[in-house]
């Protein structure tokens, strides 16, 4: 109630947006949806930026194996790309700690981000070892890198669908595995094995399998850490 200048009493106007408590609740619901949508897009933007860094890393690998950039310079370039990727991942983790909602479960988003980081780390190791081992440019690497780049492009498309079309994002994510990096790798190895120096490659291949086992062990440790994070967050 409010006093009229003429001495009378008048009622205050109703709240906008439908009136009364219902209008306030409706406005709050819209605000919550808007804030959640903004958070979704912010998070997705950071993951997409990580994918972009992984794509940049593959491009550095492509250039060094094609002989268009010197190995030592490629190592410096991949170091810059890795730094950018780490910065985007750190920003994502920071936001995940502050927000209430996310486009998918926070644990899954964290795992997605970590997996993309693993792709970039593996590409970084490839470039470093190319320089360290004194490898020579060779078109043999091209098909494998092409498959990897194609998978990342599909993953990028899937990530960008998350805020508005999560079901389509899930379908698109399955497409990211279809370029098939492993078949291209196997074909390249088979071509090498046909050379006269094939026996020397056998221990390298076997050690590579043990390296994969070590990576899986690390993934298991990460999964345990994720479970603890979920339980005590």
């Amino acid at each position: 109630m409010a006093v009229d200048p003429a001495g009378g009493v008048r009622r205050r106007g109703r709240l906008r947006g439908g009136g009364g408590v219902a209008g306030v609740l409706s406005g709050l619901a819209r605000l919550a949806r808007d804030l959640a949508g903004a958070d979704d897009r912010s998070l997705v933007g950071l993951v997409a930026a990580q994918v972009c860094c992984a794509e940049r890393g593959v491009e550095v690998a492509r250039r060094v194996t094609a002989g268009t950039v010197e190995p030592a310079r490629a190592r410096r370039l991949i170091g810059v790309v890795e730094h950018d990727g780490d910065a985007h991942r750190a920003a994502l983790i920071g936001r995940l700690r502050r927000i209430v909602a996310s486009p998918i479960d926070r644990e899954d988003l964290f795992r997605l981000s970590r997996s993309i980081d693993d792709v970039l780390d593996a590409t970084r190791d490839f470039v470093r070892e190319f320089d360290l081992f004194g490898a020579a440019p060779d078109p043999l690497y091209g098909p494998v890198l092409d498959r990897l780049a194609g998978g990342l492009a599909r993953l990028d498309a899937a990530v960008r669908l998350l805020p508005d079309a999560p079901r389509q994002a899930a379908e698109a994510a399955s497409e990211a595995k279809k370029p098939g990096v492993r078949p291209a790798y196997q074909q390249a190895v088979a071509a090498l094995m046909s050379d006269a120096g094939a026996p020397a490659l056998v221990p390298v291949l076997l050690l590579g399998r043990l390296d994969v086992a070590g990576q899986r062990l690390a993934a298991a440790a990460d999964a345990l850490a994720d479970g603890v994070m979920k339980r005590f967050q």
Side-chain angles (χ1 to χ4, degrees), residues 33-45:
R33 288 194 298 270
D34 290 345
L35 290 175
D39 279 338
D40 286 356
R41 284 166 176 75
S42 175
L43 291 170
V44 165

Side-chain angles (χ1 to χ4, degrees), residues 9 29 47 59 114 129 138 154 171-172 181 190 206 219 229 231:
V9 176
V47 176
E59 181 58 27
R114 187 186 63 215
E129 290 170 4
D138 195 319
R154 288 171 170 80
E171 294 173 0
V181 174
L206 294 177
M229 177 184 174
R231 175 65 178 81

Side-chain angles (χ1 to χ4, degrees), residues 94-179:
R95 286 198 62 82
L96 283 174
R97 290 172 178 162
R98 297 192 299 270
I99 65 166
V100 176
S102 61
I104 56 176
D105 184 85
R106 282 186 291 180
E107 303 299 329
D108 293 328
L109 197 62
F110 180 85
R111 184 172 289 106
L112 170 61
S113 170
R114 187 186 63 215
S115 297
I116 297 166
D117 186 58
D118 288 345
V119 174
L120 179 54
D121 285 350
T123 308
R124 171 209 62 201
D125 290 343
F126 173 86
V127 172
R128 286 179 176 175
E129 290 170 4
F130 192 94
D131 181 36
L132 181 64
F133 300 159
D138 195 319
L140 189 72
Y141 302 104
V144 183
L145 290 168
D146 288 344
R147 298 285 184 92
L148 186 55
L152 285 169
R154 288 171 170 80
L155 182 62
D156 179 67
V159 165
R160 295 177 189 277
L161 285 170
L162 270 176
D164 302 315
R167 291 180 184 273
Q168 293 179 32
E171 294 173 0
S174 66
E175 295 293 318
K177 297 164 66 174
K178 288 188 176 179

Side-chain angles (χ1 to χ4, degrees), residues 10-95:
R10 60 180 174 82
R11 293 184 179 275
R12 294 184 183 275
R14 289 189 176 186
L15 291 171
R16 294 181 181 178
V21 175
V24 172
L25 293 177
S26 176
L28 289 175
R30 285 196 300 272
L31 177 60
R33 288 194 298 270
D34 290 345
L35 290 175
D39 279 338
D40 286 356
R41 284 166 176 75
S42 175
L43 291 170
V44 165
L46 290 169
V47 176
Q50 277 192 265
V51 177
C52 179
C53 287
E55 291 178 306
R56 287 166 55 198
V58 171
E59 181 58 27
V60 172
R62 194 197 305 272
R63 291 172 63 191
V64 74
T65 57
T68 59
V69 62
E70 291 297 320
R73 182 164 183 266
R75 285 185 69 173
R76 292 193 294 272
L77 290 174
I78 201 72
V80 173
V81 174
E82 182 190 18
H83 180 270
D84 290 346
D86 288 345
H88 293 310
R89 177 159 166 72
L92 175 74
I93 293 172
R95 286 198 62 82

